[in-house]
Structures are given as structure tokens and as C-alpha cells.
Amino acid sequence: IDIERRAHIRRHHSATHLLHSALRQVLGGHVTQKGSLVAPDRLRFDFSHFEPVTQAQLKEVEDLVNGWVLENAETHIEHTDFDSAKQKGAMALFGEKYGNEVRVVTMGPHSTELCGGTHVHHTGDVGYFRITSEGPLAAGVRRLEAVCGQVAVEQARLERDRLRALSQMLAVSPDSLEARVQSLMGELKGAQKQLGHFHAKHATAKAGEAAKLARDIHGVKVITERLDDLQDTKALHAYADKLRDQLGSGVVVLGSATGENKCTILVALTKDLVGRFHAGKMVGELAQIVGGKGGGRPDFAQAGGTDVGRLDEALVAVERLV
């Protein structure tokens, strides 16, 4: 037997029993075990519950388990018959089959369960207990993960070191870190707002210059432009709207390579051309060239493709379509 590994398993197994009891005390008696994993470095516990567990409830569960650990109650193991064990309040797992003789594991006044596994001699042997995650698993079933003992200590130490590193990066004490981050987020939001205004002005100016270069195809003004530097869909839409405004009457087709194997084509028509042309049908034909598909409204449509190398070919095809 690997004694050190077995000791870690023993701690996490006993912590699972205490956790089960704490969950029932905080969330209600309807909580029952639906599955579990006990490993040297963590525990996983699936339990019945019909709604998300709040952070306040998780904190209460964590505090209960750590409080019971500090009590350092002795673990008692007894072999008895099933009915006697039930009379003593021992919890049995639903769906498990038990023989006439069962093993009852009791840790202080807080946990009494039927169990055949290895456990600590005193609850204090569990060490520091902390919950690492909690979330939904299936309808009416939640999953919680936790660590204890030296694993929990090492995890806490790692988080402390990260906190110190962040504090040094921002030149503040750990106590002031949250306020500093909030301040930086406010500054960033303001800078992004100013940048948005700048981009809007730049796009308007650029649209005005592009409108002057519109081609006349059988009496229809047409603008085709490739904008690989404009990969944000909202920004591409906004620029197309500005081009339409500058044209007054015409067809706008924009293309953008948004990744190594991904591109976007957008077609926008002024209202007076709707009926004569259909943006959704036009973009559908152009998308076939770049190995994609798409569609949309008669005046505004978008498509995606995977053959970025043929994006220029698709933009050249606009004149044929018109």
C-alpha cells in the first residue's frame, strides 16, 4: 500500500461524509447522494437538488465541514445488522444492496452512514476543507467538487501567490486590489467609448472617400471593398450603413477575412433598389464562390465562407451579378 496516497484518499473520503451531512443541513433533507468520486487529490459529489446553490449556501456548507473538522471528533466503526443501523439514524445509499451485517461509520454527532471504505481516525485528520466548484449535472442533480488536507493548503498557497503577483503588477496592496481593478475597468470603459467615437468618425470619412470611387454599372452605383482589418460584425454592418448613406442609391458589397479558413461577405442595398435586386439572393450566389452559404433580408444580407483565397474572386463577381 502507498501509505501517503492512502492517507489522501482517507481524508477525501471522510470529507465526503461530512459534506453530505452539511449539504442536508443547509439545503434540506431531500439531498441524497447520486454519485461520487474519491481521489487522492480531490472529491466529487453528485447530489439531488432542484435549484442552483448560492454562494452564501456554499460558504455555510464549507464552514460547517471545517467546524466539524476542528472539533476533532473520533471516528467510530461498528458492525451491526441493517435494521439496527437504520434505527441509529445511519444513512443508506438509495439503490445499494446491503446484507444482514453492515458497517456503520460515525464521525461525531454529525455523520452516520453505512460505508465499507477507509476513513480517518478523527475528523481533525481531514485538515483544511474547501469547495472548488459547484454546478448542474442533470435535471434535479448538482455536482460539487472539493479538496482537503495538504491539497487544499497547496491550492490556497497558489491562489495567495497569484494575488501577490497581481498586487505587485498593479503596485497596490492585496487589500486594495479589488478597488484598483474596478478603477482600471472604469478607465478602460472610458477609453473604449472614446475609441468607438474615433472609429465612427473615421468610418464616416472613409465611407465618403469610398463613395467617390463607386462604379457605375448600367446606371447602378456599386461599391465593392475588402476589409480584412474590420473583422467585427457590428463594425462591418455600421460601415455598410454609412456607405449606403453616402451613396444615396446603390449596391454595397463588403468582404472580410475573419480567420485562416473563414471569411464574411455582406451585401447592402439602398431602399430604392429593393425589388430590382435582392441582397439575400445576391449574397447566396457570392457565398458559393467561397465555399459557404447565407442569406438575409432583401436590403441587407450576410454570408460566411471557408475558402478565403477566393474572396477577391467573389467581390469581382459582383459586377456580373448586377
Side-chain angles (χ1 to χ4, degrees):
I1 296 173
D2 183 332
I3 296 176
E4 185 177 354
R5 178 178 180 274
R6 176 58 61 91
H8 287 310
I9 292 174
R10 187 179 293 120
R11 294 187 190 99
H12 284 95
H13 191 184
S14 296
T16 301
H17 280 224
L18 296 177
L19 171 64
H20 191 183
S21 182
L23 285 169
R24 287 175 60 85
Q25 184 167 322
V26 174
L27 302 181
H30 63 279
V31 171
T32 54
Q33 179 179 324
K34 294 298 181 181
S36 75
L37 168 72
V38 174
D41 61 341
R42 65 191 171 108
L43 69 88
R44 187 178 71 210
F45 190 73
D46 302 336
F47 59 97
S48 56
H49 191 53
F50 45 83
E51 62 185 5
V53 183
T54 67
Q55 288 301 312
Q57 288 172 328
L58 289 176
K59 182 179 181 298
E60 188 176 354
V61 168
E62 205 173 58
D63 287 345
L64 274 175
V65 174
N66 280 308
W68 296 338
V69 168
L70 289 173
E71 289 178 6
N72 200 29
E74 186 177 357
T75 300
H76 292 283
I77 295 177
E78 178 187 4
H79 292 80
T80 184
D81 63 273
F82 182 78
D83 290 336
S84 296
K86 291 292 289 181
Q87 289 175 4
K88 293 179 181 180
M91 287 193 61
L93 299 185
F94 178 76
E96 290 286 334
K97 294 181 179 179
Y98 298 96
N100 292 328
E101 184 180 340
V102 292
R103 184 171 183 260
V104 183
V105 178
T106 301
M107 289 182 280
H110 311 294
S111 174
T112 303
E113 292 192 30
L114 303 184
C115 183
T118 183
H119 286 279
V120 297
H121 296 296
H122 295 83
T123 58
D125 298 338
V126 169
Y128 176 36
F129 171 86
R130 67 191 317 227
I131 295 171
T132 56
S133 68
E134 190 280 332
L137 180 64
V141 180
R142 311 286 298 180
R143 169 166 287 180
L144 186 151
E145 296 198 10
V147 292
C148 67
Q150 188 61 31
V151 180
V153 172
E154 291 172 358
Q155 189 181 87
R157 183 184 294 128
L158 179 62
E159 291 181 3
R160 181 195 62 191
D161 292 343
R162 287 173 178 166
L163 192 64
R164 285 176 175 173
L166 286 172
S167 299
Q168 290 174 358
M169 288 171 60
L170 298 177
V172 295
S173 67
D175 291 339
S176 304
L177 188 59
E178 184 177 358
R180 179 59 177 150
V181 171
Q182 289 178 340
S183 175
L184 287 174
M185 289 177 65
E187 292 176 17
L188 178 61
K189 188 175 181 180
Q192 288 174 332
K193 189 174 182 180
Q194 289 183 335
L195 188 61
H197 290 319
F198 170 78
H199 281 317
K201 290 181 179 179
H202 177 67
T204 301
K206 185 177 180 181
E209 293 299 318
K212 296 176 183 178
L213 301 176
R215 303 191 307 279
D216 186 291
I217 302 175
H218 294 287
V220 179
K221 292 180 182 178
V222 178
I223 292 178
T224 59
E225 192 173 357
R226 179 165 175 169
L227 302 159
D228 289 351
D229 60 331
L230 204 62
Q231 298 185 359
D232 180 69
T233 303
K234 289 184 178 179
L236 203 63
H237 285 195
Y239 183 58
D241 284 333
K242 292 183 184 299
L243 284 174
R244 283 196 300 188
D245 293 341
Q246 293 287 343
L247 276 180
S249 176
V251 176
V252 174
V253 181
L254 304 178
S256 176
T258 55
E260 186 176 346
N261 298 307
K262 189 177 180 182
C263 61
T264 299
I265 298 177
L266 187 148
V267 176
L269 309 177
T270 53
K271 291 182 179 180
D272 61 305
L273 295 180
V274 175
R276 182 176 175 184
F277 301 101
H278 192 290
K281 294 179 180 178
M282 289 180 70
V283 84
E285 290 197 41
L286 296 174
Q288 292 180 18
I289 299 174
V290 293
K293 59 183 179 179
R297 305 193 310 264
D299 64 326
F300 204 99
Q302 179 180 316
T306 56
D307 194 347
V308 179
R310 298 186 67 189
L311 182 56
D312 290 331
E313 181 184 340
L315 294 176
V316 170
V318 173
E319 183 172 342
R320 174 181 57 80
L321 281 180
V322 173

